[in-house]
Amino acid sequence: MATPSPAQLRELALTEEEYQHAVRQLGRVPNQLELGMLGALWSEHCSYKTSRRLLSQLSSKGPQVVVGPGENAGVVDLGDGLLCCFKIESHNHPSAIEPVQGAATGVGGILRDVFAMGARPVALLDALRFGDLTDAAQRHRFAKVVEGVGHYGNCIGVPTVGGETYFDPAYQGNCLVNAMCVGLVTAPRLLHAVARGVGNPVLLVGADTGRDGIHGATFASVQLDEGAEERRPAVQVGNPFLEKCLMEACLELAGSSALVGLQDCGAAGLTSSCAEMARRGGVGIRLDLDQVARRELGMTPYEVMLSESQERMVLVVERGRVEEVRAVFDRWELRSDVVGEVIAAEELQISSSGEMVARLPLPVLVDGFLPRHPASSRPADVVRDLSAPPVTAGVPWTLEEAWLRLLASPNCADASWIYRQYDHQVGDDTVVLPGRDAAVVRLRGRRDGLAITVDGAHRSSLLDPRRGAQLAVAEAVRNLTCLGARPLALTNCLNFGDPDREEVMWQLEEAVAGLAEACRQLALPVVSGNVSLYNDLSGASIPPTPVVGVVGVVDDVHGIPGPGFVAAGDLIYLVGGEGAGLGGSELQRLLGGRVLGPPPELDLELEGRASEAVRQLVTERVARSAHDCSLGGLAVALAECCVEGSLGAVVRLADPPTPPDRGLGLLFGEGSGRYLLSVEPGSGGRMEEVCSAGQVPCFRVGEVGGELVEIVGLAQIPLAAAAEARLKGIAGAMEGPVL
Amino acid sequence: MTWRCGIAVFPGTWSERDCAHWVELAGGEPVMLWHAERQLKGADLVILPGGFAHGDYLRTGAIARFAPLMDAVRDHALAGGPVLGICNGFQILCEAQLLPGALLRNSCLQFRCQSTHLRVEATRGPFLAGLEAGRILEMPISHGEGRYYAPPEQLLELEAHGQVALRYCGPAGELGDEYNPNGSLQHIAGVMNREGNVLGMMPHPERACEPLLGSEDGLHLLRAALALVGAS
C-alpha cells in the first residue's frame, strides 16, 4: 500500500508522525484495515495518549478497592462478600448531534460496562450541562436529552436515582451528557474483561453488526473508487429492550465456570474489545469475520471491525462449553456466534473469506501509541480576571429580589421536572429518592446502604481549574455527609476542550492536579474514569468541567434525615467554614458578563473535619435535618431547608454587612465546607460538643418557625414565595416553546 | 399453607423481582412463570408485572398477549382465578381483552414517575374485597402510556357495573385534573372485569410494601387476595 495522504490519515485521526511510528514498530507498511484499527485504538478515546500521564497522579489505593482503573468499571468491597462496581462516562458529542439517541446510548454504554463485570446495575445517575433555557434550541436539547436518558433507563428497568444539571451559556454549542452506573455483585461472580486459554472460543453476542457508529468518515469512504458509499450517521441508535435481554443473559452466566471473560463492544467495536481482552490476558485472538452476523450486505472487514453497533458483548468461553453458554442466549432469543478463538501469539489476526486481512501485534495495537504532551500555558486574561473584584456594587436588585431570582435559577431550583421523567424506584431499593443531596439505595438483607452523588465543577473552574476540581470533590463529599454516609471511592469524567489549545491543556493539568490533591486529602481512591476532550464548537471550548461520582455507605438506611426543617422551635446551626466568595458564583452568573474575581475559598483539611463531625451528628440522629450550602450560598440553602420542611426560619448572622456589599457576600457567597443543620432545642449541647471535639466552627444562627424565611436585618421572603420560585425555575422555563 | 403467586416474566419485564419481594412480605410464595411456557406451575393467583414486555414494540402489550403463557393465564382468568396486571401487565390484559379499554400515551407526552393517591371505588373481587370504599391508598406510578381510555358507551357500562376499581385523587380523596397524572378518562387508575377476579392498575403496589419505601398500602391488595384464596 502506498503511503496514505495527509487527508487520509486525518480521517483516521492519525498524524504523519504516528503513521511513521506504526511503520517503525511493525517493520512494514500497514494495510488499510490495520491502519483503521491502529487509528481507532490510538485515538484519545481508547488510548488516553494525552491524559494518561496526568491521570497517573490519581491514586486508586485503599483497603476497600478491589479493582481500580483499567477494567470496565471500578470495584470496591462493601463487606460480607458484596462488591460495588461503578463508573461514569460521557456521551457529549452524540448527544449534541442527536440528543435522544445520544443520551440513550450513553446510558446503554455505561450499563454494559457494569454488567460486563457480572454486577447487576442498581442505580443510574446523570450529570448534564446545557446553555441557557431562555434559548428555545437549548430547551429542545435539554428536553430531548432528558427523554433519552429516561427512555433507556426506564425501559431496561434500572432506576435513575440522582444527578445534577447546570445551565450556562458556555455550554451552548457543546452540551455535556455524563452517565454513571452503580452495580452490585458478590465476590465469586465478579467477571473480568480478559481472554485466556489458548483454543478457547470467542463469541460475539447480542445485536447484529451494522454500519452504524463507524466514527466520522470511514477509511473506505476516502477511497476514490468507493466514493459513492453511503455514509451512515455517526450516532448509534439504542435498543434498550435488546440490552435488557443481553443483561439478564450475561448475569445468568456470571456465576458459571464456562465463562472466562466478558467485555462490551464500546468505542472502536470489535477491534478494541478483542484487543483489550487479549492484551490483559497476555494472549492473542484470531477472528473470522465471516462468522460475524451482519445487519446489512456488502460490509467490508473495515466496517465490521470498527462498527459501533450497540448492545453487543464479546465473551471468551471454556472450550467444549459453547453449547451451554449459547443455550442461555437462545432462551433470551439473542444471537450468539463463535467468531474466533484465543491464540498463543500476542496478535490480533483477522480473516475474511479465508484470507488473513489484518495481523497486528497487540503490544503495538494497544500500547504502541505515541504519548502526547501538548504545550500548556495559563491564559493571561485568567490572571487578570482572578484579581478583579467580583462586581457586587452594581447589583440592580434588592437582597430579596436577588434571593428569589437565585431560587428560581434553573441551577438552584427544584429538579423534579427532570427526575419525574425517570423511573427512580424500580428495584424497590431506592430509599432516598432524587431531589435530595444524594440518593440512597439499600442493600438487601443488611442495615446499611449505598449513598450516591454526582457533582461537577461550575463557573469558578474557569478562574481556577485546580480549585474547581477540588470544589467538585468537596461538594460530593458534603452531599454524602448530609445523609450520614462515609465516602468510599470516586469515579470521574473529565470534560474539556481541545487539548492542543494551550489554555485547555493548562486547564486539564490543573484540574487533574486538583482532583488528585482533593482525593488524597479526603482519602478517596479513584477507581474508574473517563476523559472527554475536544468539546469545542467554532473555536470555543467548554469551561473545564471535571465531574465526579462518589459512592459512600450509610450505616443504617432507616430514618435518614432530609434537608427540610422538621419542627418549629428547633435550633439552626451553621457548621464549617465561613467564606463569602462571590467569584464565579451563581449570583454573578445571573448578572451576566464575565466570570471574575477569586473563586470560593476551600480548606480541604477543614472540609474533612467538618464532614467527620456532621456525619457523626447525622448518624447519631442528633441532626434532624442536614443540608450543605452550595450554589447561591447560605441564603439559598436556608430557603431550601424551609421549603422542604414547609416551615419558616429566623436567622441572625453575626458579621454586619459593609457597603457596597450590602450583605450579598454573606447571603449568597459560595464559600466551601458549610452545612446547615437543625436540632431539637435540647440537643444544642451535643451539637456544640461534637463540633468542638472535631475542631469545626459551629454557630447557632437561628430557630425554625413562622411563615417567613428571614435573615434578621438583611432580608426576608415569605415561605410561599420561596417555594414558588424554586418550583418554577426549570418547569417554568420549559413551558416556553421548544424548537 | 402458603399460597403460590405466579409472576409472569416476558423478555423486557422488569418488576418481577419487586413483585416477588412484595408477595413474600404479604405471606405468599412467588413462582416465576416464563412467557414461553404454557403452565402456571400450580399458582393460585397470577401477577403480570411491570416492564416493557417485548420492548413494547408495535404497541404496549401487543406482542406479549400472544405468549404461550397467556393461554394459561386466560384459562385461569376465565375459570375465576385471581389475576392482577400492574402497569405493563395492565396494558397486556387490555390487549388480551381480559379487561376493557386501552392505555394511551400520557397526556403530558412524557414519562411520569411520581407518588399518587388512589381512591378505592369498588370493593369486590379478590384484591379489593378487604378494603372499604373511599379508602385512600398511596403508591407510585411509573409509565409513559397510562392514560386510560374506553369509548363513551363502554365507559358508561364500566361505571354501571362497578368495574372502575381505583381512581387518582388528592390526599383527601378529592378528584381533579391536578391529581390525574396521565389524563386518564374519569381519573381511572384501575379497572376490573365484570366478575371482579381480573384487576388491572397502572400504579405499582409492589413499590408500596414497606414503610422504608414510603408506603405500605400496596400490601393491602395482596393480603386481601391471599386471605380469599385461603378461604376458598
Side-chain angles (χ1 to χ4, degrees), chain A residues 125-280:
Chain A
L125 295 94
D126 60 0
L128 312 175
R129 297 288 183 282
F130 303 94
D132 268 338
L133 290 181
T134 45
D135 178 337
Q138 295 300 315
R139 287 199 293 277
H140 169 83
R141 195 176 273 181
F142 169 53
K144 294 296 167 185
V145 162
V146 169
E147 183 185 327
V149 170
H151 170 64
Y152 214 100
N154 297 347
C155 286
I156 203 165
V158 176
T160 304
V161 301
E164 58 124 31
T165 311
Y166 188 75
F167 305 91
D168 190 288
Y171 298 99
Q172 183 104 17
N174 258 280
C175 65
L176 300 185
V177 177
N178 294 180
M180 173 175 172
C181 181
V182 182
L184 294 172
V185 57
T186 52
R189 293 171 65 90
L190 181 67
L191 296 174
H192 295 281
V194 65
R196 284 210 184 92
V198 172
N200 278 339
V202 175
L203 273 71
L204 178 62
V205 305
D208 291 350
T209 298
R211 286 195 173 102
D212 50 337
I214 295 173
H215 59 89
T218 63
F219 191 81
S221 73
V222 301
Q223 299 302 301
L224 288 174
D225 50 329
E226 289 172 38
E229 174 95 6
E230 188 185 357
R231 292 190 186 197
R232 298 287 164 144
V235 181
Q236 313 90 321
V237 173
N239 181 346
F241 167 64
L242 204 152
E243 180 141 315
K244 163 74 173 166
C245 296
L246 194 57
M247 175 174 85
E248 294 301 337
C250 289
L251 292 179
E252 222 173 290
L253 282 168
S256 160
S257 58
L259 191 57
V260 176
L262 179 63
Q263 161 111 17
D264 85 302
C265 269
L270 266 178
T271 303
S272 71
S273 51
C274 290
E276 285 168 11
M277 281 180 104
R279 184 75 180 133
R280 286 190 195 105

Side-chain angles (χ1 to χ4, degrees), chain A residues 660-733:
Chain A
D661 173 276
R662 296 187 287 144
L664 286 164
L666 220 46
L667 263 57
F668 311 121
E670 295 174 5
S672 188
R674 296 183 299 165
Y675 300 82
L676 273 178
L677 272 60
S678 71
V679 303
E680 276 183 294
S683 299
R686 178 65 186 150
M687 172 86 213
E688 284 162 32
E689 194 179 289
V690 170
C691 288
S692 140
Q695 294 175 289
V696 178
C698 142
F699 311 96
R700 188 174 139 186
V701 292
E703 278 185 22
V704 176
E707 295 292 314
L708 292 174
V709 190
E710 184 181 359
I711 297 176
V712 176
L714 286 175
Q716 58 180 52
I717 50 175
L719 184 57
E724 194 198 324
R726 247 178 81 62
L727 208 58
K728 79 177 182 198
I730 293 176

Side-chain angles (χ1 to χ4, degrees), chain A residues 120 154-157 239 241 244 331-333 417 420-428 431 442 444 557, chain B residues 11-14 17-18 21 34-35 52 54-55 57 110-113 140 142 206-207 209-210 212-213:
Chain A
R120 177 170 287 281
N154 297 347
C155 286
I156 203 165
N239 181 346
F241 167 64
K244 163 74 173 166
R331 205 163 68 80
W332 286 98
E333 298 172 20
W417 188 92
R420 73 186 178 189
Q421 297 185 58
Y422 300 158
D423 186 338
H424 44 260
Q425 289 171 301
V426 62
D428 263 5
V431 174
R442 68 163 159 188
R444 286 290 171 95
V557 293
Chain B
T13 295
W14 46 231
R17 280 186 308 277
D18 301 3
H21 176 62
W34 186 241
H35 71 110
F52 284 70
H54 296 281
Y57 291 132
Q110 288 178 347
F111 194 93
R112 277 288 177 275
C113 179
S142 183
E206 82 282 10
R207 295 186 184 183
C209 59
E210 290 175 74
L212 188 58
L213 300 176

